[in-house]
Amino acid sequence: MLHLRLIVPADRTDEVLRLLETTVGTTHLVVLSGAARDPRGDVVLCDVAREAGDGLLAELRALELDRTGSIAIENIDLSLSLRADRAEDEAPGEGADAVLWESLTDATHEESTLSATYLAFLTVATMIAACGVVLDNAILIVGAMAVGPEFGPLAGICTALVQRAPRLAWRSTQALLVGFAVAMVVTVGFSLFMDAVGLFDVEALEAERPNTNFIYRPDWFSFVVAVLAGIAGVLSLTSAKSGALVGVAISVTTVPAAANAAVALSYQEYGQAWHSMEQLLLNLVGIIVAGSLTLAVQKLLWARHETSAARR
């Protein structure tokens, strides 16, 4: 279930209430007349089944409530109510399959912001992966994958392509490209420093490295894993069940490939650096293609589902 808190101009309250009362899947309607001060108006509270949420949000925005008042949404983790159970049963479809496009766009917009925190996480993750590369330590590689925040901009690009949002596409692409560029430059300096103090050496980079040599040896399996991770990542973002996102983060060789390329560049190992960049690009393309197609299919299937429900 979702909880809606609306601030409604007093002259639009009746219209909003009619919409809420006629929307299948809504319940627990509360009106606090004149309670809002900024902006001034009435506060309207209600719960709505997740599967009915996207359509209701579209209707509320059509009433320009996002401009004249306010629309706030919260997820309800637990609701012990017979009326809530009935509302979920009456709403068409399953809540886990519903996509809240407004929420997805807002989340990916926030996650794809080129901020100091984003750059710090990506740079630290790349340096951790650099240590894993030199030590041939798979645990450090997995840790770096989990720390890396690059799936946010990737999801932003996928959402922008499906929703036709050029500003989000540019913002996400900028965060991705600038983020990896900064992380790799800093990691080159980090590698030179570690070499100077005797902790890194070129022999370790050129060794067979059975645990981490997949990073600079891209193949079709790399692309297949990236495609599957893109599908799983988008599903975890759009579904009410989002626990799979960490698993997605440690499934793709993006941060490790960037780290391997940076370390290789610091030792003028251009061949290994080039192959690492191929691995990075292969994973990025696979995730974007798969994620975009997954969102497009979800949008198509849910639109057909809503059309069928309306006919019934």
Side-chain angles (χ1 to χ4, degrees), residues 204-215:
L205 182 70
E206 295 175 341
E208 182 60 26
R209 289 163 50 196
N211 294 319
T212 58
N213 59 24
F214 67 93
I215 294 172

Side-chain angles (χ1 to χ4, degrees), residues 138-149:
I139 295 177
L140 290 177
I141 296 297
V142 171
M145 290 176 174
V147 171

Side-chain angles (χ1 to χ4, degrees), residues 115-185:
S115 63
T117 301
Y118 168 81
L119 289 175
F121 269 114
L122 189 56
T123 300
V124 169
T126 307
M127 289 192 290
I128 292 173
C131 295
V133 163
V134 174
L135 296 174
D136 192 33
N137 190 316
I139 295 177
L140 290 177
I141 296 297
V142 171
M145 290 176 174
V147 171
E150 74 281 4
F151 192 80
L154 289 170
I157 293 174
C158 297
T159 304
L161 291 174
V162 175
Q163 293 291 86
R164 299 178 183 178
R167 293 182 63 182
L168 178 59
W170 166 245
R171 188 188 191 95
S172 302
T173 302
Q174 184 183 39
L176 197 66
L177 296 180
V178 174
F180 271 114
V182 170
M184 290 178 66
V185 169

Side-chain angles (χ1 to χ4, degrees), residues 19-298:
L19 171 62
L20 296 177
E21 289 171 344
T22 57
T23 299
V24 176
T26 59
T27 187
H28 302 154
L29 183 59
V30 177
V31 181
L32 304 176
S33 299
R37 291 292 180 267
D38 184 20
R40 288 191 173 275
D42 301 330
V43 175
V44 178
L45 310 174
C46 75
D47 296 340
V48 58
R50 182 183 175 87
E51 51 268 42
D54 192 63
L56 179 57
L57 284 178
E59 294 287 347
L60 290 172
R61 295 198 66 178
L63 296 175
E64 297 188 340
L65 192 59
D66 54 325
R67 296 185 179 184
T68 59
S70 171
I71 305 172
I73 306 172
E74 298 175 348
N75 283 305
I76 300 177
D77 295 325
L78 177 63
S79 179
L80 302 178
S81 167
L82 181 61
R83 289 181 176 272
D85 295 340
R86 187 182 303 142
E88 288 186 317
D89 291 338
E90 292 175 351
E94 294 293 332
D97 297 333
V99 180
L100 294 175
W101 291 102
E102 293 289 345
S103 176
L104 177 62
T105 302
D106 183 69
T108 51
H109 182 277
E110 181 178 349
E111 292 295 326
S112 60
T113 300
L114 184 60
S115 63
T117 301
Y118 168 81
L119 289 175
F121 269 114
L122 189 56
T123 300
V124 169
T126 307
M127 289 192 290
I128 292 173
C131 295
V133 163
V134 174
L135 296 174
D136 192 33
N137 190 316
I139 295 177
L140 290 177
I141 296 297
V142 171
M145 290 176 174
V147 171
E150 74 281 4
F151 192 80
L154 289 170
I157 293 174
C158 297
T159 304
L161 291 174
V162 175
Q163 293 291 86
R164 299 178 183 178
R167 293 182 63 182
L168 178 59
W170 166 245
R171 188 188 191 95
S172 302
T173 302
Q174 184 183 39
L176 197 66
L177 296 180
V178 174
F180 271 114
V182 170
M184 290 178 66
V185 169
V186 174
T187 303
V188 168
F190 174 72
S191 300
L192 293 173
F193 170 78
M194 295 292 278
D195 179 77
V197 299
L199 295 177
F200 280 12
D201 60 76
V202 68
E203 288 78 13
L205 182 70
E206 295 175 341
E208 182 60 26
R209 289 163 50 196
N211 294 319
T212 58
N213 59 24
F214 67 93
I215 294 172
Y216 59 91
R217 294 179 180 176
D219 52 24
W220 280 108
F221 277 107
S222 302
F223 185 74
V224 169
V225 171
V227 167
L228 296 176
I231 295 171
V234 165
L235 289 176
S236 71
L237 286 176
T238 59
S239 171
K241 303 173 182 179
S242 58
L245 194 55
V246 174
V248 172
I250 61 176
S251 299
V252 289
T253 318
T254 48
V255 167
N260 199 87
V263 176
L265 286 172
S266 69
Y267 286 115
Q268 292 84 49
E269 291 287 338
Y270 299 118
Q272 192 172 141
W274 172 252
H275 292 309
S276 299
M277 290 303 296
E278 287 182 332
Q279 178 77 274
L280 174 60
L281 292 173
L282 193 67
N283 277 268
L284 294 179
V285 170
I287 292 172
I288 291 172
V289 170
S292 300
L293 290 176
T294 301
L295 282 176
V297 170
Q298 284 183 291

